[in-house]
């Protein structure tokens, strides 16, 4: 065999009890599992033997909510994910990404999500279709591929942008047909489903009937729908129920993106959400969800604006911010009424921390809340926020400190839960979840707090997401399965990243393999690029 991993504590991803075994790998597949004490012949031998004494061997982790759409093309190292043991990321999230597009749409979406992925000035955008983007991943970095595997969700907001622009109105029959055509083409080209960002423009302008018709197309191609739904604050339960009902009407599997209950109005209300999901599951609904193991959220500052202020796209937003009367109307909507961009809750500027800016000249704002920066300048918070939006060309990212620990813990224990980092890699001070989500689950929530057993935690991060993605040979340590594997020390694994030092790599994850090739060895990133686009299984 190419490799034998000896004396590992195998946590196989099923949630069952761990066991000690030698695991043999050949030509990218797990070929032999020789359990300790089995009378099945001699122990396997390999060209390379790795002593795994004291280490746990698990399937590679699947990040069900990632924002590495350009990072995978930009950075062959990509240690932010590889060092965590992530072997597959699901990108194209929150309804906004870079395929399918035409020239106009590409320029607009690049500006709209600069805060997530940078402006893309360092990327050669040779593609316009989903298939073209997946091919670009496969042939990145001189044809060698990418650091980890990636699956793609068709972004509904981008599709709407392509078909009818940034108008806040119902789609015409012809425009709806065009959107359905774009979704069908993307699914045929290998996407695993469709995402939405229903607090982001222009995707939020779609009504339920429009979304239902698109979900029917997704379901016909055996995909799933992954919405960032209409509210995580005021009206959160109603927003969850809307998605459940919509997808049941469309007969489409549902995966709830970064599912949580945030803001003061939802403190302690995770049981209400879980009861809603349990009732739907008992009635036959096909539902999964993902979460990150932290309380603050992360998005862009412009996302906080009311949707009417974003109609027409980035240039129109900036024009409204420049106009004194319109800017005052925006402020009143955000601070008094509660903008839909801020989930229907009046914004609290002391919870909005700037985590990144596009203009390095604005770096002094990073790490401070809007309220702190305003106090230093002796002005009202909206004045500071407005100036930053304009001067940074809408490119600022934020941490939003609105979560509740008891909700985070309750939701991660649910049987349909999976792990997702929602990791934005841009900015001077990104959310530490981008570098720490999976070790945080293993170290803090499994070992230290005992919220889940280690075996169950691994199942949440491996076999459950693999089942949602309909991957028949990933997510479990089993003979014949792909050798996407991670070895970690259960006693020391931990997130190194913190809010103060968010780009710190984890500890206790010495080895990571993709297709049987070491992408991390002895805690160091190798030069191996074993990642490829993982296309939908027909």
């Amino acid at each position: 065999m190419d490799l034998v991993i000896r004396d590992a504590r195998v946590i196989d991803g099923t949630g069952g009890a761990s066991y000690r075994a030698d695991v043999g790998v050949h030509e990218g597949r797990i070929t032999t599992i020789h359990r300790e004490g089995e009378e099945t012949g001699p122990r396997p031998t390999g060209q390379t033997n790795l002593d795994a004494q004291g280490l746990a061997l698990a399937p590679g982790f699947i990040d069900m909510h990632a924002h590495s759409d350009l990072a995978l093309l930009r950075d062959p190292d990509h240690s932010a994910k590889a060092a965590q043991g992530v072997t597959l990321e699901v990108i194209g999230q929150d309804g906004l990404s870079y395929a399918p597009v035409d020239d106009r749409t590409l320029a607009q979406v690049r500006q709209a999500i600069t805060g997530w992925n940078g402006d893309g000035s360092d990327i050669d955008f040779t593609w316009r279709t989903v298939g073209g983007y997946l091919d670009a991943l496969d042939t990145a970095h001189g044809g060698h591929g990418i650091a980890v595997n990636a699956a793609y969700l068709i972004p509904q907001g981008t599709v709407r942008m392509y078909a009818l622009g940034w108008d806040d109105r119902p789609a015409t029959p012809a425009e709806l047909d065009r959107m359905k055509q774009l979704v069908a083409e993307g699914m045929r080209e290998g996407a695993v489903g469709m995402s939405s960002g229903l607090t982001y423009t222009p995707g939020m302008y779609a009504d339920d009937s429009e979304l239902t018709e698109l979900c029917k197309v997704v379901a016909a191609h055996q995909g799933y729908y992954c919405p960032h739904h209409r509210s995580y604050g005021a009206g959160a339960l109603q927003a969850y129920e809307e998605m459940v009902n919509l997808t049941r009407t469309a007969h489409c599997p549902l995966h709830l993106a970064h599912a949580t209950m945030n803001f003061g109005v939802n403190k302690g209300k995770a049981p209400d959400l879980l009861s809603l999901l349990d009732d739907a599951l008992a009635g036959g609904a096909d539902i999964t969800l993902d979460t990150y193991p932290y309380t603050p959220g992360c998005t862009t500052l412009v996302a906080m604006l009311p949707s009417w202020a974003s109609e027409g796209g980035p240039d129109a937003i900036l024009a409204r911010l420049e106009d004194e009367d319109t800017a005052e109307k925006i402020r009143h909507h955000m601070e008094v009424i509660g903008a839909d961009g801020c989930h229907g809750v009046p914004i609290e500027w002391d919870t909005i921390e700037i985590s990144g800016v596009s203009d390095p000249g604005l770096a002094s704002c990073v790490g401070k809340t809007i309220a702190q920066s305003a106090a230093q300048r002796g002005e009202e918070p909206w004045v500071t926020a407005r100036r930053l939006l304009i001067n940074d060309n809408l490119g600022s990212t934020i941490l939003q400190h609105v979560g509740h620990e008891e909700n985070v813990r309750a939701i991660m224990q649910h049987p349909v839960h999976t792990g997702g980092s929602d990791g934005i890699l841009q900015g001077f001070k990104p959310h530490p979840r981008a570098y720490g989500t999976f070790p945080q689950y293993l170290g803090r929530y499994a070992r230290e707090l005992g919220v889940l057993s280690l075996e169950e935690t691994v199942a949440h991060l491996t076999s459950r997401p693999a089942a949602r993605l309909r991957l028949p040979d990933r997510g479990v340590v089993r003979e014949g399965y792909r050798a996407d594997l991670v070895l970690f020390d259960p006693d020391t694994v931990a997130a190194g990243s913190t809010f103060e030092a968010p780009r710190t790599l984890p500890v206790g994850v010495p080895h990571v393999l993709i297709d049987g090739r070491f992408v991390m060895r002895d805690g160091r990133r190798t030069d191996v690029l074993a990642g490829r686009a993982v296309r939908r299984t027909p």
Side-chain angles (χ1 to χ4, degrees):
M1 299 179 195
D2 296 331
L3 170 69
V4 173
I5 302 168
R6 294 198 177 280
D7 294 318
R9 176 188 171 186
V10 177
I11 304 176
D12 66 7
T14 65
S18 61
Y19 57 87
R20 190 160 300 281
D22 297 340
V23 176
V25 173
H26 189 66
E27 295 183 350
R29 298 271 176 177
I30 300 168
T31 54
T32 301
I33 300 175
H34 187 280
R35 296 195 185 212
E36 185 178 65
E38 282 187 338
E39 300 298 331
T40 56
R43 297 174 72 178
T45 58
Q47 296 179 24
T48 301
N49 295 282
L50 178 66
D51 182 4
Q53 185 70 38
L55 298 178
L57 173 66
F61 304 134
I62 298 176
D63 188 343
M64 286 295 286
H65 192 104
H67 286 283
S68 303
D69 305 46
L70 298 186
L72 286 163
L73 297 170
R74 175 182 293 126
D75 179 16
D77 182 81
H78 201 47
S79 288
K81 295 301 179 68
Q84 294 185 58
V86 171
T87 57
L88 171 61
E89 298 183 274
V90 185
I91 54 179
Q93 299 285 353
D94 294 329
L96 292 167
S97 190
Y98 305 94
V101 292
D102 56 13
D103 291 350
R104 170 188 59 82
T105 308
L106 176 60
Q108 291 177 336
V109 78
R110 283 176 60 181
Q111 184 177 4
I113 54 175
T114 292
W116 293 358
N117 299 305
D119 64 9
S121 58
D122 55 342
I123 302 295
D124 185 5
F125 289 94
T126 56
W127 68 87
R128 294 296 181 269
T129 65
V130 170
Y133 174 66
L134 298 180
D135 289 343
L137 295 175
D138 283 339
T139 58
H141 307 301
H144 296 289
I146 49 180
V148 304
N149 296 309
Y152 189 71
L153 294 166
I154 300 165
Q156 170 259 330
T158 301
V159 168
R160 197 172 210 270
M161 195 188 310
Y162 192 132
L164 67 140
W166 292 75
D167 294 345
D168 182 2
R169 61 172 176 81
T172 66
E175 289 164 343
L176 180 57
D177 285 344
R178 179 58 174 145
M179 285 189 281
K180 291 166 67 175
Q181 179 186 32
L182 290 168
V183 172
E185 289 173 354
M187 293 300 297
R188 286 194 295 268
E189 291 166 3
V192 296
M194 181 179 75
S195 74
S196 282
L198 299 178
T199 65
Y200 299 133
T201 53
M204 70 190 311
Y205 299 143
D207 61 21
D208 285 2
S209 62
E210 179 180 314
L211 295 172
T212 298
E213 289 303 306
L214 298 181
C215 284
K216 288 178 180 177
V217 177
V218 173
H221 290 84
Q222 294 81 51
Y224 69 93
Y225 182 43
C226 179
H228 164 135
H229 52 279
R230 297 192 193 275
S231 176
Y232 290 81
L237 280 176
Q238 293 88 338
Y240 281 113
E241 187 173 13
E242 175 193 9
M243 295 298 101
V244 171
N245 292 336
L246 185 157
T247 50
R248 292 194 73 174
T249 299
H251 302 287
C252 184
L254 172 65
H255 181 85
L256 295 166
H258 38 58
T260 188
M261 299 285 284
N262 284 340
F263 303 92
V265 295
N266 289 316
K267 184 175 176 60
K269 290 189 176 180
D272 296 342
L273 167 61
L274 300 180
S275 177
L276 169 67
L277 298 182
D278 286 338
D279 288 347
L281 290 163
D286 182 357
I287 302 173
T288 50
L289 56 85
D290 65 69
T291 72
Y292 47 84
Y294 299 88
T295 52
C298 180
T299 186
T300 56
L301 182 58
V302 67
M304 298 292 100
L305 301 182
S307 57
W308 59 262
S310 297
E311 186 178 5
D315 290 342
I317 297 171
L318 289 166
R320 292 187 182 101
L321 289 168
E322 294 278 9
D323 181 79
E324 293 295 336
D325 291 341
T326 308
E328 171 57 23
K329 183 179 176 183
I330 292 171
R331 182 206 65 78
H332 180 78
H333 210 114
M334 294 178 71
E335 294 186 348
V336 179
I337 298 173
D340 46 7
C342 193
H343 307 274
V345 177
I347 197 163
E348 298 175 334
W349 294 112
D350 60 352
T351 70
I352 306 298
E353 178 186 351
I354 300 301
S355 60
V357 290
S358 296
D359 181 353
L362 300 169
S364 62
C365 298
V366 175
K368 301 172 186 173
T369 67
I370 293 292
Q372 288 170 334
S373 289
Q376 289 177 353
R377 298 178 66 94
E379 60 191 19
E380 292 299 311
W382 167 244
V383 176
T384 301
R386 178 189 175 196
R387 180 188 298 109
L388 184 58
L389 284 163
I390 293 170
N391 291 349
D392 205 27
N393 199 32
L394 311 180
S396 305
T397 53
I398 62 170
L399 300 180
Q400 196 170 13
H401 296 272
V402 292
H404 307 287
E405 180 68 18
E406 66 270 33
N407 287 347
V408 170
R409 296 189 193 188
I411 294 169
M412 73 170 62
Q413 295 178 71
H414 196 275
V416 301
H417 168 266
T418 67
S421 70
D422 196 12
I424 294 174
L425 301 170
Q426 289 295 117
F428 296 111
K429 192 173 179 284
H431 197 302
R433 67 192 184 192
Y435 284 73
T437 285
F438 295 86
Q440 181 85 339
Y441 269 117
L442 299 168
R444 175 166 170 75
Y445 285 92
R447 183 183 66 242
E448 296 176 7
L449 298 177
V451 174
L452 294 165
S453 71
L454 189 58
E455 288 82 358
E456 187 65 12
T457 301
V458 169
H460 284 230
L461 308 180
T462 58
S463 64
R464 294 184 186 178
R468 167 51 76 215
L469 294 168
R470 299 178 68 245
L471 300 175
D473 58 356
R474 301 176 196 261
V476 178
V477 178
R478 183 173 294 165
E479 291 180 359
Y481 275 48
R482 290 182 179 271
D484 292 356
L485 302 167
V486 55
L487 289 110
F488 65 91
D489 185 339
D491 296 329
T492 64
V493 62
S497 59
T498 63
F499 287 98
E500 293 72 31
R503 297 186 188 277
T504 307
L505 296 180
V507 297
V509 188
H511 309 294
V512 181
L513 299 93
I514 296 178
D515 272 354
R517 302 166 65 192
F518 284 97
V519 297
M520 297 289 298
R521 187 158 192 177
D522 296 321
R524 298 178 184 274
R525 179 72 172 93
T526 71
D527 61 0
V528 169
L529 291 169
R532 297 293 183 271
V534 175
R535 291 165 168 83
R536 178 185 56 86
T537 303

